[in-house]
Amino acid sequence: MLNNMTIRLKLITLSAAVLIIIGGFALNNIVKTWSSYSNIQETQKLIKLSVKMSAVLHELQKERGASAGFLGSGGKKFADLLPKQQSSTDTKIKELNAYISANPSKEAMDVSQNI
C-alpha cells in the first residue's frame, strides 16, 4: 500500500498522524488545566466562606464574654457593651448568610442549615 503512494501523499499522511497526536496531547492539557482552574475557584470560595465563618465565631465569642461578664456582675458591668455586641454579631451572621446565598455550594448549605 505504501509502495503505491507518492512521496507527497506519504508526507501528508505522516503529517496528519503527527498533528492528530499533538492535538490529542493539547486537548489533554486543556482538560487538565480546566480541571485545575475549577478546583482553584472552588477552593477560593471555601476560603472566603471560612473567613466569613471565622468572623461570626469571633463575634459570638466576644458576645459570650460580654454576657458572662454581665451575668457575673449581676448586671452592673457590660450593660452598655452587650447590646452593641449582639448587634455586631447579628451583622456578621447576616453577612455570612448573604455570602452563602450568593455562592451556593454543598459546604455553604451545610453551614447555613447549622446556623
Side-chain angles (χ1 to χ4, degrees):
M1 176 174 154
L2 289 176
N3 291 337
N4 296 336
M5 297 173 77
T6 64
I7 292 178
R8 181 172 186 246
L9 190 56
K10 288 178 184 178
L11 286 174
I12 290 172
T13 304
L14 182 61
S15 297
V18 169
L19 288 175
I20 289 171
I21 292 170
I22 290 172
F25 282 120
L27 185 61
N28 185 36
N29 191 24
I30 289 169
V31 168
K32 285 182 180 180
T33 302
W34 181 257
S35 177
S36 293
Y37 175 76
S38 296
N39 287 338
I40 290 169
Q41 293 293 83
E42 185 64 26
T43 301
Q44 185 178 22
K45 287 180 183 179
L46 290 174
I47 289 170
K48 287 181 181 180
L49 176 64
S50 70
V51 168
K52 298 284 185 188
M53 289 171 52
S54 178
V56 169
L57 290 174
H58 181 67
E59 293 302 320
L60 285 169
Q61 288 171 339
K62 288 170 37 179
E63 183 178 331
R64 182 189 67 189
S67 296
F70 178 78
L71 293 174
S73 70
K76 295 176 185 170
K77 295 182 181 178
F78 298 98
D80 58 334
L81 179 65
L82 191 55
K84 293 176 190 173
Q85 185 56 50
Q86 289 169 336
S87 176
S88 181
T89 301
D90 291 343
T91 300
K92 291 297 182 182
I93 290 172
K94 287 177 186 173
E95 289 175 9
L96 176 61
N97 284 328
Y99 180 79
I100 290 171
S101 295
N103 300 285
S105 68
K106 178 191 175 299
E107 292 81 6
M109 293 303 144
D110 288 345
V111 170
S112 179
Q113 290 173 356
N114 292 314
I115 290 181

